Amino acid sequence: MTADSEQSVPGTAGDPGPGTATVTEESAGTGATGADEASAAPGTPEAGAEAGEAPDPETAPWSGPAMWVVPALVAALGAVCLWGAFTVEAPPNVTRPGPAAFPGAVGGLLLLVAACLSAVNVRNLRSGAVSGANGLAWFEGRPVLLILAGLVVHIAVLEHVGWLLSGALLFWVVAYAFGARAHVRDAVVALSMSAAVQVGFSLGLGLSLPGGFLELVL
């Protein structure tokens, strides 16, 4: 009786058996998983560092010289439009407002937008809201490059294919650059917009846009 009672039972404190070892390994695994989850939890320094690498473009202001890129480009485009409005030669039989009204209005609005953007930058500088960490790190240049390429092609083929097709191509490229992928629908909408602009210039401004080879065919 005494010898039998002194034998250790597996899994007790006196003799840790297989069951105890298994529990210990599972506990260790649970603790490691909990440590990993705690390290990846929101609010930790690591999570804050990862969030700081990708600022929200809707709320984070540009910093450094990058903050003046867009106002400068908008102001330059507005100045070009105004220069074209003042130097355009209107036919003698044209009625008011004439061909200079549209580029003049667009140029004035662009200069107004550039002034508003500059005012926002100055206000951010004075309030200290601008930091040197973001810059243009989040800027996506692919849509801008696509639109610039479409504009170059539009100018190159305008005289040959006419405004109706070249304008539709430009509208389609802009829609594609902003994420539109319904190509047939976008082409129909682009052709309709191009035709509406041509009719508006002809009837409203008395200015005939280039017809290209379609003018000879039709």
Side-chain angles (χ1 to χ4, degrees), residues 141-155:
R142 184 172 179 270
V144 178
L145 294 178
L146 285 174
I147 294 175
L148 288 178
L151 184 61
V152 170
V153 174
H154 165 75
I155 295 175

Side-chain angles (χ1 to χ4, degrees), residues 8-200:
S8 59
V9 180
T12 61
D15 185 11
T20 306
T22 304
V23 173
T24 305
E25 292 175 358
E26 292 177 357
S27 301
T30 305
T33 306
D36 295 338
E37 292 176 356
S39 62
T44 59
E46 291 80 6
E50 293 178 359
E53 294 178 358
D56 185 7
E58 298 293 335
T59 58
W62 289 4
S63 61
M67 65 190 305
W68 302 105
V69 171
V70 173
L73 291 177
V74 174
L77 187 58
V80 170
C81 291
L82 286 181
W83 176 78
F86 284 114
T87 57
V88 65
E89 295 182 1
N93 59 344
V94 69
T95 59
R96 290 184 178 275
F102 183 76
V106 172
L109 290 175
L110 288 175
L111 290 180
L112 180 61
V113 171
C116 293
L117 292 174
S118 301
V120 171
N121 288 339
V122 173
R123 184 184 62 186
N124 290 333
L125 287 174
R126 291 181 178 179
S127 62
V130 176
S131 61
N134 46 28
L136 286 174
W138 52 265
F139 180 72
E140 296 183 2
R142 184 172 179 270
V144 178
L145 294 178
L146 285 174
I147 294 175
L148 288 178
L151 184 61
V152 170
V153 174
H154 165 75
I155 295 175
V157 302
L158 178 60
E159 294 293 336
H160 303 285
V161 303
W163 164 260
L164 185 63
L165 296 181
S166 63
L169 175 64
L170 181 60
F171 284 126
W172 186 89
V173 170
V174 172
Y176 181 84
F178 280 99
R181 293 298 181 268
H183 303 313
V184 177
R185 181 201 65 187
D186 298 337
V188 173
V189 174
L191 193 61
S192 302
M193 292 290 296
S194 179
V197 170
Q198 187 162 18
V199 172

